[in-house]
Amino acid sequence: MSTLAKRLTVLIVGAGGREHALAAGIADSPSCARLIVAPGNAGTPGERWPIAVTEVAAVRARCRAEGVDLVVIGPEAALAAGLTDALLADGVAVFGPTAQLARLETSKSHARAVAAELGIPGPRWASFTPAQAGPAREWLMAHAGPVVVKQSGLAGGKGVVLPDGQAAALSAVTDALAVGEVVLEERLTGPECSLIAVCDGRTSVSLPIAADHKRLGEGDSGPNTGGMGAYAPVDLIAELGLQPADLHAQFIEPVVTHLAHSGRGYVGALYAGLILTPEGPRLLEFNCRLGDPEAQVLLPLLDADLLTLLHSCAVGRLNPASVRFRPGYACGVVLAAPGYPTAGHPGLRLALPDPLPTATLIRHSGTECIDGEIVGLGGRMLTCVGLGSTLAAARAAAYEAVDRCAPPAAEVRRDIGWRAAARAVRSYAAAGVDIAEGDRAVSLIAEHLAQRSGTGVLRGIGAFGGAVDVAFLQRFDHPVLVASTDGVGSKVELAAAAGRLDGIGADLVHHCVNDVLAQGARPLFFLDYLAADRIVADQVAAVVAGIAVACAAVGCALIGGETAEMPGVYAPGRLDVAGTIVGVVERSALLPRADIAAGDVLLGLAANGAHTNGYTYLRRLFDWLPLTAAPPPLDGPLIDALLLPHRCYLPVLEPALQTGCVKALVHVTGGGLPGNLPRVLPPGLGARVDLGSWPLPPLFTLVHEVTALDPVELHRTLNMGIGMVAIVGPDDLPAVTAAIDEPSYLIGEVTAGAGVVLA
Ligand code: GLY
């Protein structure tokens, strides 16, 4: 759009965020010689005239005195007061309709009558004067569904009631009739949007479609306000198969054409509030101005000179082809005073970021500069606007500005645009959950489990819960169930990164079997849990197959499990596994026994490697070493040593338990020997562990060589080669050792006095 032949003196009437947005756009125009805002606010550029928007005579006199060329009227109150008419009489160009045409906003019954005459789709409606209370009640009684009760005249945004039920509706009608004419409407449901056009009396062009958030509370709850935030454009329009041009043709053009024959026609902004019902878009209301906060998000999207555009409307020469908009989105978040919209306490000091975060704008509403500080006057104070190539980016920018300037007490909605975000998720897969891949995982698991369900399993994988027939427990004198839940820690991440998840199932099952074994119990059944940011069926199948094989090897039934896909909870590429085991033990064989005494010996059994503990440390320790490296004394790649599965001690210890001489078993997990020995020792007893009394496996020799941890911390972090300890009386040592079909190590003894000493 070309610039104007003459540079203009421009007055903007109003004091809100909309007027700040208008002033900011006009101030940028090379055609603006002088900019005045009446009364303006602490943020508006240009001069300020301290004149209220309804002081028609004062505005008119000053415009005449100071040679104002163009007046842009923001609020409806100035239109209703006849400001346009007065200025037109003086030959001033005005962007804003006459009071007569502004009746589209100032009289809701008039607007409905015009819309009905023009065939513009809307709800069923009727209007009633205060003398028609009886017919109004009859209309209500005859109307089956929910209604909207509107004061026909201007009510400062407080004239619309959505009553719950007929009694509330009757009372709302009585209240509204006490004020003046009322309009009763069928209540429509659907998302709402704002279609705003600029008009020159005959021609009009719509801005991108915007959506505002009128309610105070998040999730569109609580009382109505002037608007707590807005965004544009609204992608939902296209998703519903609607075209902005069609909406313009349906809701704006008929009105502009109809009014073209009345004097200068409709000049200014015409705002159609629409509701997108399942039956199609319907008119909720007309406003005769730009919306607030819609203007704050729409005007930054304009890719044309704002002053030239508004002037062309005011003088009847709008060229729609010259009105272009930038691609991208704008999102505006309103900061209102505490207590808004009811009380709206004034006096809140506002510290604005300087410079502003990138891609943000701040528009002032009720602010003043007092003693060099910006102070909120009680209502809406600021709109933080973010711009971006996506709505998400625009929103993020807006909230960055909000976070930099919102006082804690301010009323701020954190959810602006939430419905658009919700609609952007077109499928569960788009939310990051791939049901098809989940189903593939389940079928792969089913294949692996087909032959491995275990004896006594009545309901297994796929049922709502596992069911196991435990009639055999009748053979026990006094069965005790022992249960444990555990995971494999960050070893799983190492395994996933190496693409070697097949050993993780054994890690998990063996860890859990050892935990119940430490209480003398044999495993009965097992349930697993695998969670990931994204389900990869082959990964799940690898883990679950490992679990199934490990369970089967120890006669433990795998009766159920859960696979959870949780993008956003787990970081990309991360997964975790856990399992729950239930075992059984004869009560008389429950470990640890109470007769542990000083002098009992600690008989250590070798670990395979680090088992499932200390991996967060090990990963840091070897951070710079490629996992394929084979540093001496390892005889193969480091990753092989790190991924050796957790040992299962059940087969090797079963004969030892049958001797009846084992007083306790200590599964050396997180906390190592110093952390786990005390778990079985009676109060007042401790242990001495003789370091060097067992051979260090190569991995731990390497660790020992490079670690900076002191011995106590090292043995607390890693098992250091001992994965299970049996506590036995010294006299029983030969019998127990003989029952263990592998080397075992006398690694220390139980001592008087609490604590574990590494000697
Ligand atoms: N944002 C709604 C309005 O300006 O009326």
Side-chain angles (χ1 to χ4, degrees), residues 369-387:
C369 190
I370 299 172
D371 299 333
E373 287 192 280
I374 296 175
V375 175
L377 299 182
R380 291 184 291 176
M381 302 183 295
L382 300 174
T383 308
C384 294
V385 180
L387 303 170

Side-chain angles (χ1 to χ4, degrees), residues 43-112:
T44 48
E47 301 160 44
R48 291 179 65 185
W49 287 352
I51 307 176
V53 301
T54 49
E55 289 184 74
V56 173
V59 174
R60 181 179 184 180
R62 193 114 185 227
C63 286
R64 203 186 279 162
E66 307 213 15
V68 170
D69 300 298
L70 171 69
V71 176
V72 178
I73 300 179
E76 64 278 15
L79 301 171
L83 183 57
T84 304
D85 309 67
L87 295 167
L88 287 176
D90 285 350
V92 178
V94 182
F95 181 83
T98 60
Q100 170 64 23
L101 299 192
R103 287 180 69 227
L104 281 175
E105 175 164 2
T106 58
S107 166
K108 305 231 176 300
S109 65
H110 171 71
R112 279 284 171 230

Side-chain angles (χ1 to χ4, degrees), residues 18 194 212 214 226-227 271 285 287 289-294 380:
R18 167 184 48 211
S194 308
D212 83 341
K214 292 199 176 69
Y271 167 149
E285 62 177 359
N287 294 314
R289 51 182 172 77
L290 291 168
D292 185 340
E294 289 96 325
R380 291 184 291 176

Side-chain angles (χ1 to χ4, degrees), residues 181-531:
E181 189 179 18
V182 298
V183 174
L184 303 183
E185 293 178 4
E186 153 195 27
R187 195 184 311 171
L188 302 175
T189 55
E192 295 180 23
C193 64
S194 308
L195 172 68
I196 301 175
V198 292
C199 316
D200 77 349
R202 288 176 306 282
T203 308
S204 57
V205 62
S206 279
L207 311 182
I209 293 173
D212 83 341
H213 291 258
K214 292 199 176 69
R215 303 293 191 122
L216 179 70
E218 279 146 12
D220 299 318
S221 60
N224 259 325
T225 69
M228 296 300 289
Y231 63 92
V234 176
D235 290 339
L236 174 65
I237 299 298
E239 284 164 30
L240 294 177
L242 300 169
Q243 298 294 333
D246 293 343
L247 295 176
H248 180 86
Q250 196 173 13
F251 292 96
I252 301 289
E253 257 170 27
V255 181
V256 176
T257 306
H258 175 70
L259 298 178
H261 308 294
S262 78
R264 78 198 268 253
Y266 189 95
V267 174
L270 180 58
Y271 167 149
L274 303 183
I275 185 161
L276 307 173
T277 75
E279 289 73 40
R282 301 286 184 263
L283 180 75
L284 286 179
E285 62 177 359
F286 280 126
N287 294 314
C288 294
R289 51 182 172 77
L290 291 168
D292 185 340
E294 289 96 325
Q296 291 92 304
V297 296
L298 287 171
L299 295 182
L301 297 176
L302 181 68
D303 191 12
D305 183 85
L306 178 62
L307 175 52
T308 309
L309 171 65
L310 300 180
H311 183 261
S312 73
C313 290
V315 298
R317 288 202 299 268
L318 170 64
N319 172 12
S322 67
V323 185
R324 287 180 303 274
F325 297 92
R326 294 177 223 286
Y329 295 77
C331 176
V333 181
V334 168
L335 272 61
Y340 177 76
T342 38
H345 304 300
L348 203 60
R349 282 173 166 60
L350 299 166
L352 304 189
D354 185 18
L356 289 177
T358 45
T360 62
L361 305 163
I362 291 186
R363 302 304 184 214
H364 290 236
S365 298
T367 60
E368 271 307 340
C369 190
I370 299 172
D371 299 333
E373 287 192 280
I374 296 175
V375 175
L377 299 182
R380 291 184 291 176
M381 302 183 295
L382 300 174
T383 308
C384 294
V385 180
L387 303 170
S389 58
T390 62
L391 180 57
R395 176 185 182 277
Y399 278 107
E400 195 184 338
V402 168
D403 292 340
R404 299 273 299 277
C405 64
E411 292 283 358
V412 179
R413 275 182 66 164
R414 308 291 314 186
D415 65 341
I416 301 306
W418 72 276
R419 289 178 193 274
R423 290 205 56 105
V425 185
R426 308 266 159 73
S427 65
Y428 205 12
V433 176
D434 187 343
I435 292 180
E437 189 67 357
D439 288 347
R440 196 165 80 80
V442 170
S443 71
L444 286 175
I445 293 170
E447 277 171 38
H448 286 292
L449 299 184
Q451 290 97 31
R452 298 186 191 278
S453 59
T455 50
V457 177
L458 306 177
R459 305 273 185 277
I461 306 283
F464 287 110
V468 184
D469 186 334
V470 290
F472 71 93
L473 292 183
Q474 288 165 2
R475 296 200 297 272
F476 282 64
D477 290 332
H478 190 151
V480 172
L481 295 180
V482 175
S484 174
T485 292
D486 225 310
V488 299
S490 51
K491 186 176 188 177
V492 71
E493 196 187 328
L494 199 63
R500 288 171 50 178
L501 283 165
D502 44 342
I504 288 295
D507 275 312
L508 180 66
V509 174
H510 295 170
H511 186 129
C512 292
V513 169
N514 293 340
D515 277 346
V516 293
L517 180 67
Q519 295 164 90
R522 311 313 190 261
L524 272 180
F525 57 83
F526 189 85
L527 300 102
D528 67 272
Y529 177 75
L530 186 152

